Amino acid sequence: MTAALPATLHALDLRHAHRLLNTGASVLIATAHAGRRNLMACAWNMALDFAPPKLAVCIDKATATRALLEGSGVFAVGVPRAGQAEMVFRVGSMSARDVPGQDKFTAFEIAHFPATRIDVPLVADCIGWLECRLIPEPAVQQAHDLFVGEVLAAWVDERAFADGKFRPLHDTPPDWRTLHHLGAGNFVVPGQQLQAGR
């Protein structure tokens, strides 16, 4: 069945095409190397493989995070919760160069604890954390700013994630739901759950 084009359909400027896909959970990327550490927000991230688990994150050449990651070969991915939206926005809106003499953990008083397999701080009160080892792909990193990591350890908070999956929304406190960035500081959190296949 062919449908007529709706009158509300309009061409999208290609500069904004990524925003149609970029509504997955935002994450925090923590790095540390040679006595320095940094934290950035990242909306461009995805899972890649099951065994061993792998993921990909996009990190621009101009970021301090990228220099630390390339120096250490490790990074941590934190999955922030809705209750951390202000902190995620702050660390995502500011460069490490904007806080001279300190880092974002110190400048924004971000509580953290040490990772277990890598020497990187993990942001406290996240839904979960992935400790990763960089799988070097120099050509891909240079051409596309895309970094692949193997997950060495994973941790979750049972208030949001239990038995290998996210808890049902009716059983998850609202400030423990995932955070999805829409652009310009606007976030959404899951507010309705649908069950298919019954």
Side-chain angles (χ1 to χ4, degrees):
M1 179 168 108
T2 303
L5 289 178
T8 55
L9 189 68
H10 295 282
L12 176 65
D13 185 321
L14 292 181
R15 294 178 301 135
H16 305 300
H18 69 278
R19 290 189 176 152
L20 286 172
L21 302 177
N22 194 32
T23 56
S26 294
V27 299
L28 296 166
I29 299 178
T31 51
H33 180 64
R36 294 177 53 223
R37 60 187 185 174
N38 195 43
L39 184 65
M40 69 171 270
C42 177
W44 293 18
N45 61 82
M46 62 184 277
L48 288 180
D49 206 350
F50 295 107
K54 297 183 188 87
L55 56 82
V57 293
C58 194
I59 304 174
D60 189 82
K61 292 171 184 63
T63 65
T65 293
R66 181 158 171 164
L68 297 175
L69 170 54
E70 290 174 334
S72 70
V74 295
F75 62 103
V77 174
V79 180
R81 57 188 181 83
Q84 294 174 306
E86 282 297 326
M87 180 266 294
V88 172
F89 180 69
R90 280 197 309 268
V91 301
S93 300
M94 183 174 286
S95 167
R97 289 177 280 285
D98 296 329
V99 288
Q102 53 186 333
D103 58 40
K104 293 181 192 177
F105 287 95
T106 304
F108 299 127
E109 300 179 345
I110 297 170
H112 58 281
F113 54 91
T116 61
R117 298 281 308 272
I118 60 177
D119 187 18
V120 171
L122 303 180
V123 176
D125 294 322
C126 283
I127 291 170
W129 305 263
L130 303 169
E131 300 179 32
C132 302
R133 173 187 68 83
L134 177 65
I135 299 174
E137 295 285 352
V140 173
Q141 292 164 198
Q142 186 61 31
H144 304 291
D145 296 333
L146 192 67
F147 289 78
V148 176
E150 177 185 348
V151 179
L152 303 175
W155 306 94
V156 293
D157 191 300
E158 65 183 12
R159 285 172 280 190
F161 198 99
D163 301 319
K165 60 187 175 299
F166 282 96
R167 298 178 77 96
L169 287 185
H170 71 271
D171 197 27
T172 305
D175 66 339
W176 277 89
R177 295 178 183 171
T178 53
L179 192 58
H180 304 255
H181 189 238
L182 298 180
N186 296 303
F187 294 92
V188 294
V189 296
Q192 181 179 4
Q193 186 169 329
L194 305 175
Q195 175 71 54
R198 285 195 168 186

